[in-house]
Amino acid sequence: MKKQGLIVGIVFLAAVMAAGCAGAGKKDTAPATSKAEETVNEAVESTKQETESDGTIVSTTYGPVKGVKEGEILTWYGIPYGKEPSGELRFKAPVKPESWKEPLECISPSKPALQLTGTEVTGSEDSLRLTVYAKEGSEKLPVMVFIHGGNNQTGNAGEIPGVELVKNDNCVYVSVDYRLGLLGFNCLPALTKDGGTGNFGMLDIASALDWVKDNIKEFGGDPENVTISGFSAGGRDVMAMLISPVFEGKFQKAVAFSGGMTTSEEELSGKKIAKALAPLAVEDKKASEEGEAAKWLMTDGADVKEYLYSISPERLVPLMGNAMIRMSVFPHLYEDGKVIPKEGFDTKVYNSVPLMMLTGSSEFSLFCLNDPYFKSDDMKGYSEEELKSAKTFASKYGSNMYRIFNAQTSAETMYDNYKSDIYLCQVDYGSDASAVKDLGEYGAFHGIFVPMLSSKNNYTEVFKGAFEKPGYVAMAKEYNRYLANFLASGDPNGDGLTSWSKWSKDQKVSMVFDGDETKGIIVQKDGSATYEDIIKEMKADTSVSQEIKDKMVKNVLNGRWFSTVLDETYQNKSLWADVE
Protein backbone atom coordinates (compact mmCIF):
# COMPACT_ATOMS: atom_id res chain seq x y z
CA MET A 1 0.00 0.00 0.00
CA LYS A 2 2.74 2.53 0.98
CA LYS A 3 4.91 1.57 -1.97
CA GLN A 4 2.11 2.13 -4.47
CA GLY A 5 1.27 5.49 -2.88
CA LEU A 6 4.94 6.51 -3.07
CA ILE A 7 5.11 5.71 -6.79
CA VAL A 8 1.98 7.75 -7.46
CA GLY A 9 3.52 10.65 -5.54
CA ILE A 10 6.74 10.45 -7.59
CA VAL A 11 4.71 10.42 -10.80
CA PHE A 12 2.83 13.58 -9.76
CA LEU A 13 6.03 15.33 -8.65
CA ALA A 14 7.78 14.49 -11.94
CA ALA A 15 4.88 15.94 -13.91
CA VAL A 16 4.87 19.18 -11.91
CA MET A 17 8.63 19.61 -12.16
CA ALA A 18 8.67 18.95 -15.91
CA ALA A 19 5.81 21.39 -16.53
CA GLY A 20 7.51 24.03 -14.36
CA CYS A 21 10.82 23.77 -16.19
CA ALA A 22 9.06 24.05 -19.53
CA GLY A 23 7.22 27.20 -18.49
CA ALA A 24 10.44 28.90 -17.41
CA GLY A 25 12.06 28.60 -20.84
CA LYS A 26 10.99 29.55 -24.32
CA LYS A 27 7.41 30.03 -25.38
CA ASP A 28 7.64 26.86 -27.44
CA THR A 29 7.07 24.40 -24.62
CA ALA A 30 5.83 21.43 -26.64
CA PRO A 31 9.01 19.33 -26.34
CA ALA A 32 9.15 19.77 -22.54
CA THR A 33 5.45 18.99 -22.13
CA SER A 34 5.89 15.91 -24.26
CA LYS A 35 8.80 14.82 -22.04
CA ALA A 36 6.70 15.28 -18.92
CA GLU A 37 3.89 13.24 -20.42
CA GLU A 38 6.39 10.56 -21.34
CA THR A 39 7.73 10.47 -17.77
CA VAL A 40 4.24 10.21 -16.31
CA ASN A 41 3.15 7.54 -18.76
CA GLU A 42 6.24 5.43 -18.11
CA ALA A 43 5.77 5.62 -14.34
CA VAL A 44 2.04 4.87 -14.56
CA GLU A 45 2.68 1.89 -16.83
CA SER A 46 5.40 0.64 -14.49
CA THR A 47 3.02 0.91 -11.51
CA LYS A 48 0.24 -0.82 -13.45
CA GLN A 49 2.50 -3.71 -14.43
CA GLU A 50 3.79 -4.10 -10.88
CA THR A 51 0.24 -4.15 -9.46
CA GLU A 52 -0.99 -6.57 -12.10
CA SER A 53 1.92 -8.95 -11.49
CA ASP A 54 1.44 -8.83 -7.72
CA GLY A 55 -1.39 -11.29 -7.07
CA THR A 56 -1.60 -10.22 -3.45
CA ILE A 57 -3.54 -7.06 -4.34
CA VAL A 58 -7.18 -7.84 -5.09
CA SER A 59 -10.18 -5.57 -5.54
CA THR A 60 -13.28 -5.95 -3.37
CA THR A 61 -16.56 -4.04 -3.36
CA TYR A 62 -15.21 -1.87 -0.52
CA GLY A 63 -11.67 -1.33 -1.77
CA PRO A 64 -8.44 -3.15 -2.67
CA VAL A 65 -6.80 -5.53 -0.19
CA LYS A 66 -3.17 -6.63 -0.04
CA GLY A 67 -2.29 -10.08 1.25
CA VAL A 68 0.85 -12.17 1.55
CA LYS A 69 2.31 -14.84 -0.69
CA GLU A 70 4.07 -17.93 0.63
CA GLY A 71 5.05 -20.29 -2.13
CA GLU A 72 1.96 -20.83 -4.26
CA ILE A 73 -0.45 -19.83 -1.48
CA LEU A 74 -1.94 -16.34 -1.20
CA THR A 75 -3.50 -15.27 2.11
CA TRP A 76 -5.50 -12.18 3.01
CA TYR A 77 -5.97 -11.86 6.77
CA GLY A 78 -8.72 -9.94 8.52
CA ILE A 79 -10.61 -8.45 5.59
CA PRO A 80 -13.49 -6.37 7.00
CA TYR A 81 -16.96 -7.54 6.02
CA GLY A 82 -18.71 -5.27 8.51
CA LYS A 83 -18.18 -2.08 10.45
CA GLU A 84 -16.96 -2.40 14.04
CA PRO A 85 -20.11 -3.29 16.05
CA SER A 86 -19.36 -1.02 18.99
CA GLY A 87 -21.02 2.04 20.50
CA GLU A 88 -24.46 2.58 18.99
CA LEU A 89 -23.87 -0.44 16.68
CA ARG A 90 -23.65 -2.86 19.60
CA PHE A 91 -26.56 -5.35 19.77
CA LYS A 92 -27.56 -4.56 16.19
CA ALA A 93 -27.36 -6.29 12.84
CA PRO A 94 -23.97 -5.81 11.19
CA VAL A 95 -23.46 -2.72 9.03
CA LYS A 96 -21.38 -2.70 5.85
CA PRO A 97 -17.85 -1.34 6.28
CA GLU A 98 -16.78 2.05 5.00
CA SER A 99 -15.06 2.00 1.61
CA TRP A 100 -11.35 2.68 1.17
CA LYS A 101 -9.15 3.59 -1.81
CA GLU A 102 -5.57 2.59 -1.00
CA PRO A 103 -4.86 -1.17 -0.70
CA LEU A 104 -5.70 -2.30 2.84
CA GLU A 105 -2.83 -4.34 4.29
CA CYS A 106 -4.24 -7.75 5.25
CA ILE A 107 -0.87 -9.35 5.88
CA SER A 108 -1.19 -10.67 9.44
CA PRO A 109 -3.99 -12.15 11.57
CA SER A 110 -6.42 -9.60 12.98
CA LYS A 111 -7.65 -9.71 16.55
CA PRO A 112 -10.58 -12.08 17.13
CA ALA A 113 -13.84 -11.11 18.79
CA LEU A 114 -13.76 -10.11 22.45
CA GLN A 115 -13.66 -13.18 24.68
CA LEU A 116 -12.46 -14.52 28.01
CA THR A 117 -9.06 -16.19 27.76
CA GLY A 118 -8.39 -17.71 31.15
CA THR A 119 -9.18 -14.78 33.41
CA GLU A 120 -8.26 -12.10 30.87
CA VAL A 121 -10.50 -10.33 28.37
CA THR A 122 -8.78 -10.46 24.98
CA GLY A 123 -9.67 -9.61 21.39
CA SER A 124 -11.39 -6.63 19.85
CA GLU A 125 -14.87 -5.30 19.11
CA ASP A 126 -13.60 -4.70 15.58
CA SER A 127 -14.05 -8.38 14.82
CA LEU A 128 -16.25 -8.60 11.73
CA ARG A 129 -13.41 -9.84 9.58
CA LEU A 130 -12.57 -12.89 7.51
CA THR A 131 -9.45 -14.53 6.10
CA VAL A 132 -9.12 -15.86 2.55
CA TYR A 133 -6.66 -18.52 1.37
CA ALA A 134 -6.22 -19.33 -2.33
CA LYS A 135 -3.69 -20.94 -4.62
CA GLU A 136 -2.00 -18.58 -7.06
CA GLY A 137 -3.89 -18.64 -10.34
CA SER A 138 -7.13 -19.94 -8.84
CA GLU A 139 -10.17 -19.49 -11.03
CA LYS A 140 -13.79 -20.47 -10.36
CA LEU A 141 -12.88 -23.00 -7.67
CA PRO A 142 -15.30 -24.33 -5.05
CA VAL A 143 -15.41 -22.15 -1.92
CA MET A 144 -15.29 -23.54 1.62
CA VAL A 145 -16.41 -21.06 4.31
CA PHE A 146 -15.47 -22.12 7.85
CA ILE A 147 -17.02 -21.09 11.19
CA HIS A 148 -14.76 -21.69 14.17
CA GLY A 149 -15.71 -23.43 17.40
CA GLY A 150 -15.52 -22.36 21.04
CA ASN A 151 -19.14 -22.59 22.20
CA ASN A 152 -19.84 -19.26 20.47
CA GLN A 153 -17.94 -17.77 23.42
CA THR A 154 -14.29 -18.13 22.39
CA GLY A 155 -12.13 -18.98 19.38
CA ASN A 156 -10.94 -17.32 16.20
CA ALA A 157 -10.73 -17.63 12.44
CA GLY A 158 -7.24 -19.13 12.69
CA GLU A 159 -8.56 -22.34 14.27
CA ILE A 160 -7.95 -24.30 11.05
CA PRO A 161 -5.48 -22.52 8.73
CA GLY A 162 -6.29 -23.01 5.07
CA VAL A 163 -2.86 -23.53 3.50
CA GLU A 164 -3.15 -27.31 3.18
CA LEU A 165 -6.89 -27.24 2.53
CA VAL A 166 -6.59 -25.16 -0.63
CA LYS A 167 -3.81 -27.44 -1.88
CA ASN A 168 -5.41 -30.78 -1.02
CA ASP A 169 -9.04 -29.93 -1.71
CA ASN A 170 -8.64 -27.63 -4.71
CA CYS A 171 -10.74 -24.85 -3.23
CA VAL A 172 -10.70 -21.28 -2.00
CA TYR A 173 -10.98 -21.24 1.80
CA VAL A 174 -12.59 -18.50 3.89
CA SER A 175 -12.54 -18.47 7.70
CA VAL A 176 -14.79 -16.08 9.59
CA ASP A 177 -14.59 -14.16 12.88
CA TYR A 178 -17.94 -13.13 14.37
CA ARG A 179 -19.29 -11.67 17.61
CA LEU A 180 -19.07 -13.99 20.60
CA GLY A 181 -20.57 -14.35 24.06
CA LEU A 182 -23.14 -11.81 25.24
CA LEU A 183 -22.01 -9.39 22.53
CA GLY A 184 -22.94 -11.95 19.88
CA PHE A 185 -25.92 -13.62 21.55
CA ASN A 186 -28.21 -11.63 23.85
CA CYS A 187 -31.99 -11.89 23.77
CA LEU A 188 -33.05 -9.62 26.62
CA PRO A 189 -36.48 -8.08 25.84
CA ALA A 190 -35.13 -4.52 25.73
CA LEU A 191 -33.00 -5.56 22.74
CA THR A 192 -35.65 -7.52 20.85
CA LYS A 193 -38.91 -5.64 21.59
CA ASP A 194 -39.13 -3.99 18.17
CA GLY A 195 -39.05 -7.26 16.25
CA GLY A 196 -35.31 -7.70 16.52
CA THR A 197 -33.22 -10.74 17.29
CA GLY A 198 -30.59 -11.58 19.87
CA ASN A 199 -28.75 -13.87 17.42
CA PHE A 200 -26.26 -11.17 16.40
CA GLY A 201 -23.44 -13.64 15.79
CA MET A 202 -25.60 -15.50 13.28
CA LEU A 203 -26.36 -12.24 11.48
CA ASP A 204 -22.62 -11.63 11.30
CA ILE A 205 -22.08 -15.00 9.59
CA ALA A 206 -24.91 -14.23 7.15
CA SER A 207 -23.23 -10.93 6.32
CA ALA A 208 -19.90 -12.73 5.78
CA LEU A 209 -21.62 -15.06 3.32
CA ASP A 210 -22.99 -12.01 1.48
CA TRP A 211 -19.43 -10.71 1.24
CA VAL A 212 -18.31 -14.04 -0.19
CA LYS A 213 -21.08 -13.92 -2.78
CA ASP A 214 -20.06 -10.42 -3.88
CA ASN A 215 -16.28 -10.75 -3.77
CA ILE A 216 -14.93 -14.29 -3.88
CA LYS A 217 -14.69 -14.37 -7.67
CA GLU A 218 -11.82 -11.86 -7.43
CA PHE A 219 -9.92 -14.38 -5.26
CA GLY A 220 -10.48 -17.26 -7.68
CA GLY A 221 -13.62 -18.72 -6.10
CA ASP A 222 -16.97 -19.58 -7.60
CA PRO A 223 -19.72 -17.54 -5.87
CA GLU A 224 -22.28 -20.10 -7.06
CA ASN A 225 -20.47 -23.03 -5.39
CA VAL A 226 -20.13 -22.19 -1.70
CA THR A 227 -19.97 -24.78 1.08
CA ILE A 228 -20.65 -23.55 4.62
CA SER A 229 -18.76 -25.53 7.26
CA GLY A 230 -17.98 -25.32 10.94
CA PHE A 231 -16.55 -27.18 13.91
CA SER A 232 -18.23 -27.71 17.29
CA ALA A 233 -20.18 -24.47 17.97
CA GLY A 234 -19.47 -23.59 14.36
CA GLY A 235 -20.93 -26.94 13.34
CA ARG A 236 -24.03 -26.26 15.42
CA ASP A 237 -24.26 -22.85 13.78
CA VAL A 238 -24.16 -24.59 10.40
CA MET A 239 -27.01 -26.89 11.44
CA ALA A 240 -28.99 -23.83 12.60
CA MET A 241 -28.41 -22.22 9.20
CA LEU A 242 -30.21 -25.17 7.63
CA ILE A 243 -33.45 -24.11 9.37
CA SER A 244 -32.92 -20.34 9.24
CA PRO A 245 -34.85 -18.20 6.73
CA VAL A 246 -32.03 -15.65 6.98
CA PHE A 247 -29.63 -18.10 5.30
CA GLU A 248 -31.85 -19.23 2.45
CA GLY A 249 -29.85 -19.31 -0.78
CA LYS A 250 -26.57 -18.20 0.81
CA PHE A 251 -24.72 -21.53 0.27
CA GLN A 252 -24.96 -24.62 -1.91
CA LYS A 253 -23.57 -27.33 0.42
CA ALA A 254 -22.83 -27.79 4.12
CA VAL A 255 -20.36 -29.66 6.33
CA ALA A 256 -20.92 -29.93 10.09
CA PHE A 257 -17.86 -31.13 12.01
CA SER A 258 -19.03 -32.35 15.45
CA GLY A 259 -22.11 -30.14 15.25
CA GLY A 260 -25.55 -31.48 16.08
CA MET A 261 -28.87 -29.78 16.74
CA THR A 262 -29.08 -27.28 19.57
CA THR A 263 -31.27 -24.24 20.05
CA SER A 264 -32.59 -22.49 23.15
CA GLU A 265 -35.99 -21.15 24.17
CA GLU A 266 -35.92 -17.38 24.06
CA GLU A 267 -37.65 -16.46 27.33
CA LEU A 268 -35.69 -18.94 29.48
CA SER A 269 -32.49 -17.74 27.82
CA GLY A 270 -33.37 -14.13 28.62
CA LYS A 271 -33.89 -15.03 32.27
CA LYS A 272 -30.50 -16.76 32.42
CA ILE A 273 -28.83 -13.72 30.91
CA ALA A 274 -30.66 -11.37 33.28
CA LYS A 275 -29.49 -13.45 36.22
CA ALA A 276 -25.88 -13.28 35.00
CA LEU A 277 -26.11 -9.48 34.54
CA ALA A 278 -27.89 -8.83 37.84
CA PRO A 279 -24.72 -8.41 39.98
CA LEU A 280 -23.53 -5.65 37.65
CA ALA A 281 -26.87 -3.90 37.86
CA VAL A 282 -26.72 -3.98 41.67
CA GLU A 283 -23.15 -2.71 41.60
CA ASP A 284 -24.26 0.13 39.33
CA LYS A 285 -27.15 1.01 41.67
CA LYS A 286 -29.89 -0.02 39.22
CA ALA A 287 -31.46 -2.20 41.92
CA SER A 288 -30.88 -2.95 45.58
CA GLU A 289 -30.52 -6.72 45.26
CA GLU A 290 -29.98 -9.30 42.50
CA GLY A 291 -33.52 -10.70 42.33
CA GLU A 292 -34.92 -7.22 41.79
CA ALA A 293 -32.17 -6.46 39.27
CA ALA A 294 -32.95 -9.62 37.26
CA LYS A 295 -36.63 -8.71 37.08
CA TRP A 296 -35.75 -5.18 35.93
CA LEU A 297 -33.40 -6.54 33.26
CA MET A 298 -36.24 -8.66 31.88
CA THR A 299 -38.34 -5.56 31.17
CA ASP A 300 -38.26 -3.95 27.74
CA GLY A 301 -37.90 -0.31 28.72
CA ALA A 302 -35.54 2.22 27.19
CA ASP A 303 -33.77 2.47 30.56
CA VAL A 304 -32.69 -1.17 30.39
CA LYS A 305 -31.56 -0.82 26.80
CA GLU A 306 -29.53 2.28 27.63
CA TYR A 307 -27.93 0.45 30.53
CA LEU A 308 -26.97 -2.56 28.38
CA TYR A 309 -25.24 -0.24 25.92
CA SER A 310 -23.40 1.51 28.74
CA ILE A 311 -21.71 -1.58 30.23
CA SER A 312 -18.07 -1.79 29.18
CA PRO A 313 -17.06 -4.90 27.25
CA GLU A 314 -14.43 -5.68 29.89
CA ARG A 315 -17.24 -6.15 32.43
CA LEU A 316 -19.67 -7.84 30.07
CA VAL A 317 -17.45 -10.50 28.51
CA PRO A 318 -16.52 -12.46 31.69
CA LEU A 319 -20.09 -12.91 32.95
CA MET A 320 -20.64 -16.35 31.43
CA GLY A 321 -17.61 -18.65 31.47
CA ASN A 322 -16.86 -21.90 29.66
CA ALA A 323 -20.22 -23.60 29.17
CA MET A 324 -18.68 -27.09 28.72
CA ILE A 325 -21.35 -28.03 26.14
CA ARG A 326 -24.24 -27.02 28.40
CA MET A 327 -26.73 -24.60 26.87
CA SER A 328 -28.01 -23.65 30.33
CA VAL A 329 -24.64 -22.08 31.20
CA PHE A 330 -24.53 -19.84 28.13
CA PRO A 331 -27.80 -19.84 26.16
CA HIS A 332 -27.54 -18.98 22.48
CA LEU A 333 -29.09 -19.83 19.10
CA TYR A 334 -32.44 -18.49 20.31
CA GLU A 335 -35.71 -19.71 18.83
CA ASP A 336 -36.86 -16.17 18.07
CA GLY A 337 -39.02 -16.79 15.00
CA LYS A 338 -36.74 -14.54 12.98
CA VAL A 339 -33.28 -16.02 12.63
CA ILE A 340 -34.31 -19.42 14.02
CA PRO A 341 -37.89 -20.76 13.89
CA LYS A 342 -39.90 -20.90 17.10
CA GLU A 343 -40.16 -24.66 16.67
CA GLY A 344 -36.39 -25.06 16.29
CA PHE A 345 -35.39 -28.29 14.57
CA ASP A 346 -38.96 -29.58 14.71
CA THR A 347 -39.50 -27.42 11.63
CA LYS A 348 -40.62 -28.92 8.36
CA VAL A 349 -38.82 -26.24 6.31
CA TYR A 350 -35.11 -26.70 5.62
CA ASN A 351 -32.55 -24.96 3.46
CA SER A 352 -31.91 -28.33 1.85
CA VAL A 353 -28.42 -28.67 0.38
CA PRO A 354 -26.07 -31.68 0.21
CA LEU A 355 -24.89 -32.19 3.78
CA MET A 356 -21.91 -33.99 5.31
CA MET A 357 -21.85 -34.59 9.07
CA LEU A 358 -18.71 -35.83 10.83
CA THR A 359 -18.17 -37.06 14.37
CA GLY A 360 -15.39 -38.67 16.36
CA SER A 361 -16.26 -41.84 18.25
CA SER A 362 -14.88 -40.49 21.58
CA GLU A 363 -16.43 -37.02 21.41
CA PHE A 364 -17.00 -36.55 25.15
CA SER A 365 -13.50 -37.42 26.37
CA LEU A 366 -12.08 -33.87 26.34
CA PHE A 367 -15.03 -32.50 28.30
CA CYS A 368 -15.31 -35.40 30.72
CA LEU A 369 -11.66 -35.88 31.64
CA ASN A 370 -11.27 -32.17 32.36
CA ASP A 371 -14.56 -31.71 34.20
CA PRO A 372 -13.99 -29.80 37.49
CA TYR A 373 -16.51 -32.07 39.22
CA PHE A 374 -13.80 -34.68 39.65
CA LYS A 375 -11.92 -32.26 41.94
CA SER A 376 -15.02 -31.32 43.94
CA ASP A 377 -15.79 -32.31 47.53
CA ASP A 378 -18.24 -34.91 46.18
CA MET A 379 -15.37 -36.93 44.75
CA LYS A 380 -12.98 -36.66 47.69
CA GLY A 381 -12.15 -39.91 49.45
CA TYR A 382 -12.14 -42.07 46.34
CA SER A 383 -8.94 -43.85 45.35
CA GLU A 384 -7.04 -42.96 42.19
CA GLU A 385 -8.27 -46.21 40.65
CA GLU A 386 -11.88 -45.37 41.48
CA LEU A 387 -11.52 -41.87 40.02
CA LYS A 388 -9.97 -43.31 36.87
CA SER A 389 -12.82 -45.82 36.53
CA ALA A 390 -15.38 -43.05 37.07
CA LYS A 391 -13.85 -40.96 34.28
CA THR A 392 -13.66 -43.96 31.96
CA PHE A 393 -17.32 -44.78 32.63
CA ALA A 394 -18.57 -41.23 32.03
CA SER A 395 -16.34 -40.71 29.00
CA LYS A 396 -17.45 -43.98 27.37
CA TYR A 397 -21.20 -43.48 27.67
CA GLY A 398 -21.09 -39.73 27.18
CA SER A 399 -19.09 -40.29 23.99
CA ASN A 400 -21.55 -42.90 22.75
CA MET A 401 -24.40 -40.42 23.19
CA TYR A 402 -22.46 -37.43 21.88
CA ARG A 403 -21.36 -39.46 18.83
CA ILE A 404 -24.89 -40.23 17.68
CA PHE A 405 -26.05 -36.72 18.63
CA ASN A 406 -23.53 -35.14 16.25
CA ALA A 407 -24.69 -36.99 13.17
CA GLN A 408 -27.14 -39.89 13.38
CA THR A 409 -29.92 -38.29 15.42
CA SER A 410 -29.69 -35.11 13.34
CA ALA A 411 -30.17 -37.18 10.18
CA GLU A 412 -33.12 -38.96 11.77
CA THR A 413 -34.76 -35.65 12.72
CA MET A 414 -34.27 -34.07 9.31
CA TYR A 415 -34.81 -36.96 6.95
CA ASP A 416 -38.54 -36.79 6.22
CA ASN A 417 -38.44 -33.07 5.35
CA TYR A 418 -34.92 -32.71 3.94
CA LYS A 419 -34.75 -32.59 0.16
CA SER A 420 -31.02 -33.19 -0.41
CA ASP A 421 -28.54 -35.99 0.20
CA ILE A 422 -27.06 -36.53 3.66
CA TYR A 423 -23.67 -38.20 4.19
CA LEU A 424 -22.41 -39.33 7.62
CA CYS A 425 -18.86 -40.14 8.66
CA GLN A 426 -17.08 -41.11 11.85
CA VAL A 427 -13.40 -41.01 12.82
CA ASP A 428 -12.33 -44.00 14.93
CA TYR A 429 -8.58 -43.33 14.89
CA GLY A 430 -7.19 -43.66 18.42
CA SER A 431 -10.41 -45.06 19.90
CA ASP A 432 -10.87 -48.38 21.69
CA ALA A 433 -11.84 -49.88 18.34
CA SER A 434 -8.67 -48.62 16.63
CA ALA A 435 -5.33 -50.39 16.28
CA VAL A 436 -3.61 -47.12 17.29
CA LYS A 437 -3.59 -46.41 21.04
CA ASP A 438 -1.33 -43.32 21.11
CA LEU A 439 -4.18 -41.02 22.12
CA GLY A 440 -4.78 -42.92 25.34
CA GLU A 441 -7.93 -42.13 27.27
CA TYR A 442 -8.80 -39.29 24.87
CA GLY A 443 -9.36 -41.65 21.94
CA ALA A 444 -11.08 -40.23 18.86
CA PHE A 445 -11.73 -36.97 20.68
CA HIS A 446 -13.73 -33.82 19.84
CA GLY A 447 -11.52 -32.37 17.09
CA ILE A 448 -9.82 -35.61 15.99
CA PHE A 449 -10.42 -34.58 12.36
CA VAL A 450 -8.59 -31.24 12.60
CA PRO A 451 -5.07 -32.59 11.85
CA MET A 452 -6.57 -34.23 8.74
CA LEU A 453 -7.16 -30.74 7.36
CA SER A 454 -4.17 -28.84 8.73
CA SER A 455 -0.87 -29.89 10.32
CA LYS A 456 -0.90 -26.59 12.21
CA ASN A 457 -3.38 -27.22 15.01
CA ASN A 458 -3.83 -27.35 18.78
CA TYR A 459 -3.44 -31.11 19.07
CA THR A 460 -0.20 -32.03 17.30
CA GLU A 461 2.00 -30.86 20.16
CA VAL A 462 -0.17 -32.51 22.81
CA PHE A 463 -0.20 -35.90 21.08
CA LYS A 464 3.32 -35.93 19.68
CA GLY A 465 3.78 -38.25 16.73
CA ALA A 466 0.21 -39.58 16.63
CA PHE A 467 -0.82 -37.59 13.58
CA GLU A 468 2.42 -38.09 11.68
CA LYS A 469 2.02 -41.88 11.57
CA PRO A 470 1.64 -43.25 8.02
CA GLY A 471 -1.76 -44.69 8.96
CA TYR A 472 -3.17 -41.30 9.99
CA VAL A 473 -1.58 -39.57 7.00
CA ALA A 474 -3.10 -42.11 4.61
CA MET A 475 -6.51 -41.82 6.29
CA ALA A 476 -6.34 -38.02 6.08
CA LYS A 477 -5.39 -38.16 2.39
CA GLU A 478 -8.43 -40.30 1.61
CA TYR A 479 -10.76 -38.06 3.61
CA ASN A 480 -9.53 -35.01 1.72
CA ARG A 481 -10.23 -36.74 -1.58
CA TYR A 482 -13.82 -37.30 -0.47
CA LEU A 483 -14.07 -33.73 0.82
CA ALA A 484 -12.70 -32.27 -2.42
CA ASN A 485 -15.32 -34.16 -4.39
CA PHE A 486 -18.05 -33.00 -2.05
CA LEU A 487 -16.96 -29.35 -2.28
CA ALA A 488 -16.98 -29.57 -6.05
CA SER A 489 -20.23 -31.44 -6.63
CA GLY A 490 -22.09 -32.27 -3.39
CA ASP A 491 -21.19 -35.95 -3.78
CA PRO A 492 -18.06 -37.28 -1.98
CA ASN A 493 -17.64 -40.25 -4.30
CA GLY A 494 -14.99 -40.46 -6.99
CA ASP A 495 -12.70 -42.76 -8.92
CA GLY A 496 -10.57 -45.06 -6.78
CA LEU A 497 -12.52 -44.37 -3.58
CA THR A 498 -14.58 -46.79 -1.54
CA SER A 499 -18.23 -46.12 -2.30
CA TRP A 500 -19.88 -43.80 0.24
CA SER A 501 -23.65 -44.22 0.32
CA LYS A 502 -25.98 -41.43 1.34
CA TRP A 503 -27.75 -41.94 4.66
CA SER A 504 -31.36 -43.05 4.78
CA LYS A 505 -33.71 -44.52 7.36
CA ASP A 506 -33.39 -47.83 5.54
CA GLN A 507 -29.61 -47.61 5.23
CA LYS A 508 -28.14 -45.92 8.31
CA VAL A 509 -24.56 -46.05 7.14
CA SER A 510 -21.51 -43.97 7.97
CA MET A 511 -18.10 -43.92 6.35
CA VAL A 512 -15.68 -44.83 9.15
CA PHE A 513 -12.13 -43.46 8.97
CA ASP A 514 -9.39 -45.25 10.87
CA GLY A 515 -5.80 -46.34 10.44
CA ASP A 516 -3.12 -48.56 11.90
CA GLU A 517 0.59 -47.86 12.11
CA THR A 518 1.12 -47.99 8.36
CA LYS A 519 -2.12 -47.61 6.42
CA GLY A 520 -5.52 -46.00 6.42
CA ILE A 521 -8.60 -48.15 7.02
CA ILE A 522 -11.78 -46.73 5.49
CA VAL A 523 -14.97 -48.79 5.54
CA GLN A 524 -18.66 -48.09 5.35
CA LYS A 525 -20.85 -49.57 8.07
CA ASP A 526 -23.94 -49.13 10.17
CA GLY A 527 -22.80 -47.78 13.52
CA SER A 528 -26.20 -46.51 14.56
CA ALA A 529 -27.47 -46.81 18.14
CA THR A 530 -30.25 -45.42 20.31
CA TYR A 531 -30.03 -43.46 23.53
CA GLU A 532 -32.17 -46.13 25.15
CA ASP A 533 -29.71 -48.88 24.18
CA ILE A 534 -26.77 -46.85 25.48
CA ILE A 535 -28.54 -46.17 28.79
CA LYS A 536 -29.47 -49.85 29.11
CA GLU A 537 -25.81 -50.82 28.66
CA MET A 538 -24.82 -48.13 31.15
CA LYS A 539 -27.20 -49.50 33.77
CA ALA A 540 -25.76 -52.99 33.34
CA ASP A 541 -22.15 -51.79 33.61
CA THR A 542 -20.44 -53.01 36.81
CA SER A 543 -17.08 -51.31 36.26
CA VAL A 544 -17.98 -48.69 38.91
CA SER A 545 -20.05 -48.78 42.06
CA GLN A 546 -23.68 -47.71 41.96
CA GLU A 547 -22.75 -44.70 44.09
CA ILE A 548 -20.18 -43.49 41.56
CA LYS A 549 -22.51 -44.30 38.68
CA ASP A 550 -25.23 -42.14 40.21
CA LYS A 551 -22.79 -39.26 40.66
CA MET A 552 -21.67 -39.49 37.04
CA VAL A 553 -25.27 -39.49 35.81
CA LYS A 554 -26.36 -36.60 38.02
CA ASN A 555 -23.28 -34.38 37.79
CA VAL A 556 -21.09 -35.16 34.77
CA LEU A 557 -23.37 -36.51 32.04
CA ASN A 558 -26.32 -34.26 32.90
CA GLY A 559 -27.49 -31.21 31.01
CA ARG A 560 -25.16 -31.60 28.02
CA TRP A 561 -26.21 -31.16 24.40
CA PHE A 562 -26.80 -34.90 24.16
CA SER A 563 -28.35 -35.53 27.58
CA THR A 564 -32.09 -35.02 27.05
CA VAL A 565 -33.07 -38.70 27.10
CA LEU A 566 -30.67 -39.49 29.94
CA ASP A 567 -31.97 -36.59 32.05
CA GLU A 568 -35.54 -37.71 31.48
CA THR A 569 -34.71 -41.34 32.30
CA TYR A 570 -32.98 -40.49 35.57
CA GLN A 571 -35.20 -37.49 36.36
CA ASN A 572 -32.15 -35.28 36.66
CA LYS A 573 -32.73 -31.81 38.01
CA SER A 574 -33.00 -29.27 35.19
CA LEU A 575 -30.05 -26.91 35.03
CA TRP A 576 -32.56 -24.28 33.93
CA ALA A 577 -34.54 -24.76 37.16
CA ASP A 578 -33.26 -21.60 38.81
CA VAL A 579 -34.99 -19.45 36.17
CA GLU A 580 -38.04 -21.54 35.25
Side-chain angles (χ1 to χ4, degrees), residues 471-485:
Y472 188 89
V473 172
M475 177 190 76
K477 184 177 180 180
E478 290 295 277
Y479 177 74
N480 278 283
R481 290 180 65 194
Y482 284 112
L483 181 59
N485 292 335

Side-chain angles (χ1 to χ4, degrees), residues 380-440:
K380 285 183 178 177
Y382 292 111
S383 67
E384 286 298 316
E385 190 61 33
E386 286 174 315
L387 286 172
K388 182 178 179 181
S389 295
K391 290 181 178 180
T392 300
F393 174 90
S395 182
K396 174 183 177 180
Y397 295 106
S399 289
N400 283 341
M401 287 185 277
Y402 202 177
R403 172 184 71 86
I404 65 170
F405 167 86
N406 281 340
Q408 175 199 320
T409 60
S410 294
E412 290 169 346
T413 299
M414 304 168 72
Y415 187 75
D416 289 339
N417 298 297
Y418 203 73
K419 308 304 180 186
S420 292
D421 294 341
I422 299 173
Y423 296 92
L424 270 55
C425 57
Q426 177 173 305
V427 181
D428 273 4
Y429 186 87
S431 69
D432 289 342
S434 176
V436 175
K437 305 300 181 186
D438 294 35
L439 304 178

Side-chain angles (χ1 to χ4, degrees), residues 73-118:
I73 304 301
L74 303 169
T75 308
W76 296 264
Y77 295 98
I79 302 173
Y81 65 86
K83 190 180 289 188
E84 179 178 326
S86 60
E88 63 180 15
L89 297 182
R90 182 195 283 188
F91 303 132
K92 289 183 179 176
V95 174
K96 292 181 179 181
E98 300 286 351
S99 297
W100 59 87
K101 292 183 180 179
E102 290 288 318
L104 183 67
E105 293 198 345
C106 299
I107 59 176
S108 60
S110 56
K111 290 183 178 180
L114 283 172
Q115 56 194 273
L116 193 63
T117 305

Side-chain angles (χ1 to χ4, degrees), residues 217-296:
K217 182 179 179 180
E218 300 297 323
F219 297 83
D222 181 356
E224 301 301 326
N225 191 2
V226 174
T227 299
I228 189 68
S229 66
F231 168 44
S232 194
R236 293 186 296 106
D237 294 343
V238 166
M239 297 303 291
M241 292 177 212
L242 297 177
I243 61 172
S244 172
V246 171
F247 286 86
E248 183 179 3
K250 292 189 185 295
F251 50 85
Q252 287 70 49
K253 292 174 291 297
V255 180
F257 298 106
S258 300
M261 294 178 165
T262 52
T263 57
S264 62
E265 196 276 316
E266 192 174 28
E267 185 176 359
L268 280 179
S269 299
K271 289 179 179 178
K272 275 283 184 178
I273 293 168
K275 184 179 180 183
L277 280 164
L280 292 189
V282 172
E283 185 179 329
D284 294 335
K285 308 262 189 305
K286 300 296 179 182
S288 59
E289 52 88 24
E290 292 182 14
E292 178 189 344
K295 287 180 181 178
W296 175 70

Side-chain angles (χ1 to χ4, degrees), residues 32 151 198 237 317 369 376 433 449 481 526 559 579:
N151 203 62
D237 294 343
V317 170
L369 298 174
S376 70
F449 77 96
R481 290 180 65 194
D526 184 345
V579 298

